[in-house]
Amino acid sequence: AGLLAGLQAYQPTVHFGKHNIPMPSTEALAEIMELLRAILFPGYFMESDITPDNITYYTGAKLDKVLFLLTEQMKRGYCFFCETSLEQMCPTCASKPQETTYQLIQALPDIRRLLALDAQAAFEGDPAASRYGETILCYPSLRVMINQRIAHQLFKSGVPLIPRMMTEMAHSETGIDIHPGAQIGERFFIDHGTGVVIGETCVLGNNVKLYQNVTLGAKSFPLDEHGNPIKGIPRHPILEDGVIVYAGATILGRVTISRNSMIGG
């Protein structure tokens, strides 16, 4: 009786993994992100002694490890939301994890291209940046965008839980909160960065620049017949190409900020 009472007390907070598969591991995802950073920017992260002779070896070894680790974490993410009975493994949990991991690996060249443009925008947009590589190694904007662009690719593929965990890891490290669903164009830069919030359904064009403590949020939440917020509807701002939003500005709701506008601090 005492054991049963103890289990009942845990019910609101405990998670028993389906099919004997536990929840995704934040520690494993941290290792995966470290590997992906080193793949995307060789020589900046992990091994610093990258040469033309060993770059293929280092990158191949990291990709192989990412494939193994991320497939396992994907499986855990899918099973976390699985609706099938405990007695049988559903086809999605069995096949989707490796499929979506391969899709991410195939998308890495384009993700690298976008991040290189983000680094270029940071260097050109901040007079304090003395070297292009400084923005890759030191700037929180690049740190968070590595996670966000990877997480966004997984989000588009319908991967549950894992993308949000990835962006929340970057949020904890940088103080910048960007939902994996946010659509962000080329050459994006957040100067300083602390306190920036970008909501799930935001759409940002090319050459957008934000400063610290900017919020791109929702104004209100339409409710269903039961009084609960309706999920998934567009509710965050659209910033067209070339928009600059200065420190402390708050933009709420599904409004459009026109091309090349400047929002004052």
Side-chain angles (χ1 to χ4, degrees), residues 2 9 93 103 117 128 156 177:
C93 294
Q103 288 173 355
L117 292 173
K156 290 191 300 181
D177 182 2

Side-chain angles (χ1 to χ4, degrees), residues 34-264:
E34 185 179 15
L35 290 164
L36 287 170
R37 278 193 292 268
I39 291 167
L40 292 165
F41 292 106
Y44 286 95
F45 305 102
M46 298 185 75
E47 298 89 3
S48 58
D49 56 345
I50 296 293
T51 69
D53 294 325
N54 64 28
I55 186 171
T56 302
Y57 166 76
Y58 278 132
T59 302
K62 290 181 179 67
L63 282 169
D64 188 59
K65 194 169 186 179
V66 166
L67 177 61
F68 173 76
L69 292 175
L70 188 53
T71 298
E72 172 61 25
Q73 297 307 309
M74 291 279 200
K75 181 188 297 183
R76 296 184 183 195
Y78 279 110
C79 284
F80 180 76
F81 284 96
C82 187
E83 298 297 333
T84 61
S85 67
L86 293 177
E87 291 76 25
Q88 58 182 4
M89 175 74 80
C90 72
T92 296
C93 294
S95 63
K96 262 298 194 186
Q98 189 171 67
E99 177 186 328
T100 50
T101 301
Y102 274 123
Q103 288 173 355
L104 174 65
I105 289 174
Q106 290 168 349
L108 287 179
D110 190 55
I111 292 173
R112 179 190 286 122
R113 180 188 68 83
L114 290 170
L115 290 169
L117 292 173
D118 293 339
Q120 183 180 356
F123 175 67
E124 295 173 357
D126 184 6
S130 58
R131 293 287 188 277
Y132 175 86
E134 180 184 354
T135 65
I136 298 170
L137 192 60
C138 302
Y139 278 41
S141 178
L142 262 293
R143 187 78 167 190
V144 76
M145 286 310 298
I146 291 172
N147 285 46
Q148 201 279 338
R149 292 201 185 279
I150 291 169
H152 183 67
Q153 174 65 34
L154 298 178
F155 183 88
K156 290 191 300 181
S157 298
V159 176
L161 193 60
I162 301 294
R164 192 64 187 271
M165 292 178 71
M166 288 178 169
T167 54
E168 285 305 317
M169 288 163 55
H171 181 195
S172 298
E173 293 176 2
T174 64
I176 301 170
D177 182 2
I178 309 180
H179 193 282
Q183 301 175 51
I184 300 176
E186 299 179 357
R187 296 176 54 83
F188 178 62
F189 177 42
I190 308 173
D191 204 349
H192 305 294
T194 306
V196 167
V197 177
I198 301 176
E200 176 189 12
T201 62
C202 280
V203 180
L204 278 59
N206 299 327
N207 298 297
V208 170
K209 183 178 182 180
L210 309 180
Y211 284 80
Q212 68 271 22
N213 291 317
V214 164
T215 297
L216 306 178
K219 186 176 181 180
S220 60
F221 302 94
L223 305 179
D224 62 19
E225 64 274 16
H226 304 295
N228 299 314
I230 300 174
K231 297 183 182 294
I233 62 172
R235 59 193 183 279
H236 298 99
I238 299 171
L239 274 56
E240 295 186 343
D241 295 352
V243 169
I244 300 175
V245 184
Y246 283 99
T250 299
I251 306 172
L252 302 179
R254 194 61 165 184
V255 296
T256 298
I257 307 301
S258 299
R259 181 188 300 263
N260 298 324
S261 296
M262 287 192 294
I263 308 296

Side-chain angles (χ1 to χ4, degrees), residues 15-32:
H15 172 73
F16 296 110
K18 295 180 180 178
H19 319 302
N20 295 317
I21 295 176
M23 287 185 66
S25 163
T26 54
E27 292 79 12
L29 284 174
E31 182 180 1
I32 290 164

